[in-house]
Amino acid sequence: MSTAARATAAAAAACRRLALTHTLLRTPAPLAAAPAAPLLASAWRSYSAAATATAPTDAAAPASAADSTASTTQDLPLGARAAAPAATATATGPSKPSKPASSDSFSLPSIFSSTEVDHHLIHYPWSLSTSPSREPTPTFWQALRDKHFLTVATKRVQDHLHHPHYEFPKHFIRDAGDTVMALLNALGDTRGAGDAETLEPVMVRGLARMYADGYRSLAAKGQTPSFLIGDTVVGGSGASDRDGSSAASSKALGEARKKMAVRLRGIHLTYGPYPVPHDYVAQDWFSFFRINVPREDSEFESHPRQKEVLKTAQDDGVFIRAKVVVDLPLEFVLTDTVSGIPLLRDRRDRIEVELVSPHFTPWDDVVIGSEINGWRLAFAWRVSDIDGLMAKREVAP
C-alpha cells in the first residue's frame, strides 16, 4: 500500500472515531468549544496530521485542504460528513461561538439571571428556613438560668398587670397570636407594606422602617413578597385560598389563626421614666431586667438603698418585652410582579417574635371594659423583634 493510501486510510479511521465520539457526546458545538472532550480533539489532530503529511509528497492527493476534506469524507457516515467541515473550520483558526437562535417568546423573570436565590432577599429582613440563627445557642446552664428567670419575671408581670379579668400568661398568649396574625397581614398587604407609618401600629418604628425599606427594594426589582398560613394567603385586600378563589376574610383568617400555637419563651423588663432623661444611666441588674436611674443613684453601698432605688424606678414606669415562639405552617412566597411566577417558596414551621408593651406606670389603668362588654388590655402589644433581627440593636418603642 502506498504512502498516500495509508495516510488516506488513517485519516478516514480518525474521522470515523471523530464522528462516533461526536455522536456519543451529542453536542452540536465545535471541537474547540468542547474542552471536556479530549478524545474529539485527539481524533481531529490525527486527521489533520495525516492530511498535512500527504499533501506535499503525493501527486495524487487533492490540491487543497478543502478538496482533501471533500474526497476523504465520501466514504464516511453521514454523521462524520457533518462533523468534518466543522473540524476543518476549527483547524484553520479559532472559531467564534455561534449565537443560538432565540426561541423565547417572553422574557424570563429576573431571578433567572442570578444563581443565588438569597441574593434577592439581601435587603428584605425576613429569615428563610435555610438562614443561620441570629442568636447564639444557649449552653445547658444558660438554659437553666433562663428558665428560672422566666418564672421570676412572670411573677413580676402578673403584679404589673394585676387585674381579676386578665390572667398572665394565659390571656397574653391569646393576644400574642392576634398580634402575629396582624403582623403577617401588614407585611403581606401590598397597599401599605412599603410604608413605615402604616406598619407602625403593629411593630416598633425601627423594625417597621427595615421592613418597609426591604419591601420597596423588592418592588424596585419587580418582586412581591407574600405569606401563607397553610393554604390561606394573608395580607393584601384580605385573606383568600391558595388557588385565588374568593373567601370571606374573617372566615379564612379565623381558620388560619387556629393553626397557630403560641408559647412564652422569655421576658425582659425595663424600669424607669420614658423618655429617659439625659442624666440617667442604664443598669442591667439581671439578664431579665434593666433599670434607668439618675447618675447619682447608680452607686449604693447597702441592700436597703438598693431596694429603694429599684422601687423608685418601678414607680417611674415599665416596659414589658415578652418573647414568644409561634408554631404554624408558614410559607413565604416571592413572586415576579409582571409574570406572576413564584420565584421562591420557603416553608417554616416556627418563628420567634418579641412583643413590647407601651410604657405605663402603676397608676395607669392597664385593663379596661365592663362586665357587660368584657375586659381587655388598654393597650395593644406591638412586635419589637422577629427571629432575633433586632437582638443587638436598641429600638425605641
Side-chain angles (χ1 to χ4, degrees):
M1 183 182 292
S2 65
T3 302
R6 286 196 298 270
T8 301
C15 285
R16 290 191 186 95
R17 293 197 302 271
L18 174 68
L20 177 60
T21 308
H22 185 73
T23 303
L24 292 176
L25 291 177
R26 295 184 181 276
T27 174
L31 292 178
L39 183 57
L40 289 175
S42 175
W44 172 242
R45 283 195 299 270
S46 299
Y47 169 74
S48 299
T52 304
T54 59
T57 58
D58 197 330
S64 65
D67 294 338
S68 175
T69 302
S71 64
T72 55
T73 55
Q74 295 301 318
D75 298 329
L76 299 182
L78 182 60
R81 296 181 188 179
T88 303
T90 304
T92 58
S95 63
K96 295 183 180 180
S98 59
K99 184 177 180 181
S102 176
S103 61
D104 295 334
S105 59
F106 62 91
S107 59
L108 292 175
S110 59
I111 195 171
F112 290 102
S113 62
S114 174
T115 57
E116 295 292 337
V117 174
D118 289 354
H119 172 73
H120 293 261
L121 298 177
I122 191 170
H123 298 297
Y124 195 71
W126 184 259
S127 289
L128 301 178
S129 59
T130 56
S131 302
S133 176
R134 291 172 175 145
E135 297 183 4
T137 302
T139 64
F140 174 76
W141 296 110
Q142 288 174 337
L144 288 180
R145 179 202 63 187
D146 293 344
K147 185 176 181 180
H148 170 69
F149 284 163
L150 176 59
T151 303
V152 177
T154 299
K155 181 62 174 64
R156 284 182 172 270
V157 175
Q158 290 172 345
D159 294 338
H160 297 319
L161 300 179
H162 180 68
H163 194 276
H165 296 283
Y166 192 87
E167 299 180 29
F168 186 92
K170 177 182 177 181
H171 292 155
F172 166 76
I173 294 297
R174 176 201 62 199
D175 294 342
D178 294 340
T179 302
V180 172
M181 180 62 70
L183 166 71
L184 296 176
N185 269 296
L187 294 180
D189 191 343
T190 57
R191 300 166 300 183
D195 183 12
E197 292 185 0
T198 304
L199 297 178
E200 283 187 21
V202 295
M203 62 178 69
V204 296
R205 183 178 297 112
L207 192 62
R209 287 176 177 174
M210 292 186 68
Y211 270 93
D213 292 344
Y215 183 90
R216 291 194 299 270
S217 176
L218 292 178
K221 300 176 183 178
Q223 300 164 5
T224 304
S226 59
F227 298 87
L228 290 85
I229 300 178
D231 292 330
T232 303
V233 181
V234 295
S237 57
S240 63
D241 293 335
R242 180 190 293 267
D243 59 4
S245 59
S246 59
S249 298
S250 58
K251 180 180 179 181
L253 291 176
E255 292 298 323
R257 174 66 178 85
K258 293 178 182 178
K259 298 177 182 179
M260 285 187 182
V262 183
R263 47 195 170 92
L264 182 62
R265 180 184 172 186
I267 296 174
H268 187 272
L269 306 171
T270 301
Y271 295 114
Y274 184 80
V276 181
H278 66 88
D279 59 340
Y280 274 52
V281 295
Q283 294 184 339
D284 292 319
W285 284 19
F286 293 97
S287 62
F288 70 94
F289 81 85
R290 167 182 294 186
I291 64 170
N292 294 309
V293 296
R295 188 176 301 276
E296 60 269 18
D297 293 338
S298 60
E299 297 181 3
F300 40 82
E301 299 179 354
S302 64
H303 183 63
R305 177 57 182 163
Q306 180 186 24
K307 294 179 63 177
E308 182 180 346
V309 170
L310 177 59
K311 180 64 168 57
T312 302
Q314 290 176 337
D315 290 343
D316 286 337
V318 62
F319 283 112
I320 302 175
R321 296 180 187 267
K323 182 175 294 185
V324 297
V325 177
V326 185
D327 297 310
L328 76 169
L330 180 62
E331 186 175 10
F332 173 80
V333 182
L334 187 64
T335 306
D336 184 78
T337 307
V338 176
S339 64
I341 298 176
L343 307 178
L344 171 67
R345 287 187 178 275
D346 183 77
R347 183 183 176 89
R348 297 178 57 186
D349 297 323
R350 176 181 302 176
I351 60 174
E352 295 186 6
V353 178
E354 184 185 73
L355 307 178
V356 63
S357 72
H359 183 268
F360 63 92
T361 69
W363 298 275
D364 293 329
D365 293 328
V366 294
V367 179
I368 59 176
S370 64
E371 295 292 345
I372 299 177
N373 298 323
W375 300 86
R376 61 179 180 84
L377 281 179
F379 59 84
W381 297 95
R382 289 197 300 166
V383 177
S384 56
D385 198 0
I386 304 174
D387 294 321
L389 177 65
M390 313 297 288
K392 296 183 179 180
R393 302 169 184 256
E394 293 293 335
V395 183

Short mmCIF file of all heavy atoms in Angstrom, two decimals, residues 1-12 49-61:
data_model
loop_
_atom_site.label_atom_id
_atom_site.label_comp_id
_atom_site.label_asym_id
_atom_site.label_seq_id
_atom_site.Cartn_x
_atom_site.Cartn_y
_atom_site.Cartn_z
N MET A 1 0.86 -1.20 0.00
CA MET A 1 0.00 0.00 0.00
C MET A 1 0.89 1.23 0.00
O MET A 1 1.85 1.32 0.77
CB MET A 1 -0.90 0.00 1.25
CG MET A 1 -1.87 1.18 1.28
SD MET A 1 -2.87 1.15 2.78
CE MET A 1 -3.85 -0.31 2.47
N SER A 2 0.57 2.16 -0.87
CA SER A 2 1.39 3.37 -0.98
C SER A 2 1.23 4.27 0.24
O SER A 2 0.32 4.11 1.03
CB SER A 2 1.00 4.15 -2.24
OG SER A 2 -0.33 4.62 -2.12
N THR A 3 2.15 5.22 0.33
CA THR A 3 2.11 6.17 1.46
C THR A 3 0.82 6.98 1.46
O THR A 3 0.19 7.20 2.50
CB THR A 3 3.30 7.11 1.39
OG1 THR A 3 4.51 6.34 1.40
CG2 THR A 3 3.31 8.08 2.57
N ALA A 4 0.39 7.39 0.28
CA ALA A 4 -0.84 8.17 0.18
C ALA A 4 -2.04 7.35 0.60
O ALA A 4 -2.96 7.85 1.27
CB ALA A 4 -1.02 8.69 -1.25
N ALA A 5 -2.05 6.08 0.20
CA ALA A 5 -3.19 5.23 0.56
C ALA A 5 -3.25 5.00 2.06
O ALA A 5 -4.32 5.02 2.67
CB ALA A 5 -3.11 3.90 -0.19
N ARG A 6 -2.05 4.80 2.67
CA ARG A 6 -2.03 4.60 4.12
C ARG A 6 -2.47 5.86 4.85
O ARG A 6 -3.19 5.79 5.84
CB ARG A 6 -0.61 4.19 4.56
CG ARG A 6 -0.24 2.75 4.21
CD ARG A 6 0.98 2.31 5.00
NE ARG A 6 2.15 3.14 4.68
CZ ARG A 6 3.03 2.89 3.72
NH1 ARG A 6 2.86 1.81 2.95
NH2 ARG A 6 4.06 3.68 3.51
N ALA A 7 -2.02 7.00 4.36
CA ALA A 7 -2.42 8.26 5.01
C ALA A 7 -3.91 8.49 4.89
O ALA A 7 -4.59 8.94 5.82
CB ALA A 7 -1.66 9.43 4.41
N THR A 8 -4.45 8.13 3.67
CA THR A 8 -5.89 8.30 3.47
C THR A 8 -6.68 7.37 4.38
O THR A 8 -7.69 7.76 4.97
CB THR A 8 -6.25 8.03 2.00
OG1 THR A 8 -5.52 8.93 1.17
CG2 THR A 8 -7.75 8.21 1.77
N ALA A 9 -6.22 6.14 4.54
CA ALA A 9 -6.91 5.19 5.43
C ALA A 9 -6.85 5.66 6.87
O ALA A 9 -7.83 5.55 7.62
CB ALA A 9 -6.28 3.80 5.27
N ALA A 10 -5.68 6.16 7.28
CA ALA A 10 -5.55 6.66 8.66
C ALA A 10 -6.46 7.84 8.91
O ALA A 10 -7.09 7.96 9.96
CB ALA A 10 -4.09 7.03 8.94
N ALA A 11 -6.53 8.73 7.91
CA ALA A 11 -7.41 9.89 8.06
C ALA A 11 -8.87 9.48 8.14
O ALA A 11 -9.66 10.02 8.92
CB ALA A 11 -7.19 10.85 6.89
N ALA A 12 -9.24 8.49 7.30
CA ALA A 12 -10.63 8.02 7.33
C ALA A 12 -10.96 7.39 8.66
O ALA A 12 -12.04 7.60 9.22
CB ALA A 12 -10.85 7.03 6.17
N ALA A 49 -2.92 15.78 10.96
CA ALA A 49 -1.53 15.40 10.74
C ALA A 49 -1.40 14.50 9.52
O ALA A 49 -0.48 14.63 8.71
CB ALA A 49 -0.98 14.70 11.98
N ALA A 50 -2.34 13.57 9.35
CA ALA A 50 -2.28 12.67 8.20
C ALA A 50 -2.51 13.42 6.90
O ALA A 50 -1.83 13.19 5.90
CB ALA A 50 -3.33 11.56 8.36
N ALA A 51 -3.46 14.34 6.89
CA ALA A 51 -3.73 15.09 5.67
C ALA A 51 -2.57 16.00 5.31
O ALA A 51 -2.22 16.17 4.14
CB ALA A 51 -5.00 15.91 5.83
N THR A 52 -1.92 16.60 6.32
CA THR A 52 -0.80 17.50 6.06
C THR A 52 0.41 16.75 5.53
O THR A 52 1.14 17.22 4.67
CB THR A 52 -0.44 18.26 7.35
OG1 THR A 52 -1.59 18.94 7.82
CG2 THR A 52 0.68 19.27 7.11
N ALA A 53 0.62 15.53 6.10
CA ALA A 53 1.79 14.74 5.69
C ALA A 53 1.70 14.30 4.25
O ALA A 53 2.70 14.18 3.55
CB ALA A 53 1.94 13.53 6.61
N THR A 54 0.52 14.03 3.72
CA THR A 54 0.37 13.52 2.35
C THR A 54 0.27 14.62 1.31
O THR A 54 0.51 14.40 0.14
CB THR A 54 -0.89 12.65 2.26
OG1 THR A 54 -2.02 13.44 2.64
CG2 THR A 54 -0.79 11.45 3.17
N ALA A 55 -0.04 15.83 1.72
CA ALA A 55 -0.27 16.90 0.73
C ALA A 55 0.96 17.23 -0.11
O ALA A 55 0.88 17.32 -1.33
CB ALA A 55 -0.80 18.15 1.44
N PRO A 56 2.17 17.42 0.46
CA PRO A 56 3.28 17.85 -0.38
C PRO A 56 3.99 16.71 -1.13
O PRO A 56 4.76 16.97 -2.02
CB PRO A 56 4.22 18.51 0.61
CG PRO A 56 3.93 17.83 1.90
CD PRO A 56 2.49 17.42 1.85
N THR A 57 3.77 15.42 -0.78
CA THR A 57 4.56 14.34 -1.35
C THR A 57 3.82 13.48 -2.34
O THR A 57 4.41 12.78 -3.13
CB THR A 57 5.08 13.42 -0.21
OG1 THR A 57 3.97 12.92 0.51
CG2 THR A 57 5.97 14.22 0.74
N ASP A 58 2.52 13.49 -2.29
CA ASP A 58 1.74 12.60 -3.14
C ASP A 58 1.07 13.41 -4.23
O ASP A 58 0.27 14.30 -3.97
CB ASP A 58 0.69 11.87 -2.31
CG ASP A 58 0.17 10.64 -3.06
OD1 ASP A 58 0.15 10.69 -4.30
OD2 ASP A 58 -0.22 9.66 -2.38
N ALA A 59 1.42 13.09 -5.50
CA ALA A 59 0.84 13.85 -6.61
C ALA A 59 -0.62 13.57 -6.79
O ALA A 59 -1.36 14.38 -7.35
CB ALA A 59 1.60 13.53 -7.91
N ALA A 60 -1.06 12.39 -6.29
CA ALA A 60 -2.47 12.04 -6.46
C ALA A 60 -3.34 12.66 -5.40
O ALA A 60 -4.57 12.56 -5.46
CB ALA A 60 -2.63 10.52 -6.44
N ALA A 61 -2.72 13.31 -4.40
CA ALA A 61 -3.51 13.90 -3.33
C ALA A 61 -4.20 15.15 -3.83
O ALA A 61 -3.73 15.80 -4.76
CB ALA A 61 -2.59 14.27 -2.16
#
